[in-house]
Amino acid sequence: MKVTFRIWRQDTPAVAGSFVNYEVDGLNEDMSFLEALDQLNEELVLKGEKVVAFEYDCREGICGQCGVFINGRAHGPHNNITTCQLHMRSFQDGDTIVIEPWRAEAFPIIKDLIVDRSAFDRIVEQGGYISAKTGTAPEANAIPIGKEIADRAMDAAACIGCGACVATCKNASAALFTAAKINHLNALPQGQPEAHRRVKDMTAQMTAEGFGHCTFTGACEVECPEGISITNIAEMKSRAFKAWLLG
Ligand code: FES
């Protein structure tokens, strides 16, 4: 199959970017989207041109590195998958496919399709962990946890930090990411000692990073590769309000 990739090219954060069209022929519909970009880059190398910078690591939907906007949707035309899980069979022969980086003030562009998501790291640094003594692993059943709580914690812990929630939100809100990182710990007994401080500090950092406010449009839940529910945001807001009341 043959497609035209219309790709955002930007050399550095300091210079203006623009879209550039690249025709790529000989693609296979069973190729992953990233393999199609690999083929484009191989052709650019042979022509002596600069390759398109894009991020990836696992190519298995685990690491959250590969996110880009494809034809106006985070991670492309399907719900709840990452870009690396997208295949060329999702497009038609002759299509023009528009590829852009995540657009959010808190995610400045580094180069082409790569953005700086270190704002997420700084939110996690404020409490996305538990303080526990190290040593021998405790016996697995020493702290019994009910299935409902375990399921809730595991569902929130599935967040891979890709940033699709921010990129797709009209307010560029990081509420779904932050809520997932808070709730998976606050739901568990091990997370209780720091629960109050965690929600205060992580939501404060989220605001300080310049992310927008959540207005519950639900777009983040649709584009989240893990389908993390926006009920997590409601829970985070409730916990944040209590923390604010308690001082
Ligand atoms: S490359 Fe790891 S999730 Fe896509």
Side-chain angles (χ1 to χ4, degrees), residues 13 15 18 24 74 82 98 101 104 127 165 183-184 231-232 243-244:
V15 301
S18 63
V24 186
T82 56
V98 181
C165 50
N183 293 351
H184 86 270
T231 57
N232 280 286
W244 176 75

Side-chain angles (χ1 to χ4, degrees), residues 83-122:
T83 300
C84 61
Q85 293 172 304
L86 179 65
H87 287 80
M88 291 309 293
R89 55 180 169 269
S90 299
F91 303 95
Q92 302 293 318
D93 189 37
D95 272 359
T96 294
I97 302 169
V98 181
I99 313 171
E100 300 172 72
W102 290 162
R103 306 270 189 199
E105 194 178 318
F107 286 167
I109 291 177
I110 295 174
K111 186 177 173 66
D112 295 339
L113 302 175
I114 299 178
V115 299
D116 179 357
R117 288 175 297 132
S118 56
F120 273 6
D121 298 333
R122 291 188 290 274

Side-chain angles (χ1 to χ4, degrees), residues 189-206:
Q190 293 90 335
Q192 293 313 304
E194 289 148 321
H196 184 71
R197 185 183 61 72
R198 176 177 297 115
V199 71
K200 278 180 74 177
D201 292 353
M202 290 179 73
T203 52
Q205 189 66 34
M206 173 181 74

Side-chain angles (χ1 to χ4, degrees), residues 12-117:
T12 71
V15 301
S18 63
F19 284 103
V20 179
N21 288 352
Y22 300 97
E23 276 193 1
V24 186
D25 202 354
L27 296 170
N28 182 317
E29 63 174 13
D30 293 326
M31 277 177 156
S32 75
F33 194 77
L34 296 189
E35 285 170 336
L37 290 181
D38 288 340
Q39 178 168 324
L40 165 63
N41 274 345
E42 283 165 19
E43 291 172 12
L44 291 176
V45 168
L46 290 175
K47 285 194 256 177
E49 295 179 24
K50 283 185 191 167
V51 297
V52 176
F54 62 98
E55 235 184 325
Y56 61 88
D57 188 356
C58 68
R59 297 199 177 205
E60 292 180 344
I62 297 167
C63 73
Q65 299 292 306
C66 59
V68 288
F69 242 67
I70 301 165
N71 289 345
R73 285 194 64 181
H75 293 304
H78 304 300
N79 296 358
N80 306 135
I81 64 166
T82 56
T83 300
C84 61
Q85 293 172 304
L86 179 65
H87 287 80
M88 291 309 293
R89 55 180 169 269
S90 299
F91 303 95
Q92 302 293 318
D93 189 37
D95 272 359
T96 294
I97 302 169
V98 181
I99 313 171
E100 300 172 72
W102 290 162
R103 306 270 189 199
E105 194 178 318
F107 286 167
I109 291 177
I110 295 174
K111 186 177 173 66
D112 295 339
L113 302 175
I114 299 178
V115 299
D116 179 357
R117 288 175 297 132

Side-chain angles (χ1 to χ4, degrees), residues 142-185:
I143 307 175
I145 296 169
K147 178 165 176 8
E148 193 189 319
I149 293 174
D151 285 350
R152 211 150 36 88
M154 288 301 290
D155 286 350
C159 171
I160 57 174
C162 66
C165 50
V166 173
T168 203
C169 174
K170 65 177 183 176
N171 308 319
S173 167
L176 190 66
F177 167 80
T178 309
K181 297 300 176 192
I182 289 172
N183 293 351
H184 86 270
L185 295 172

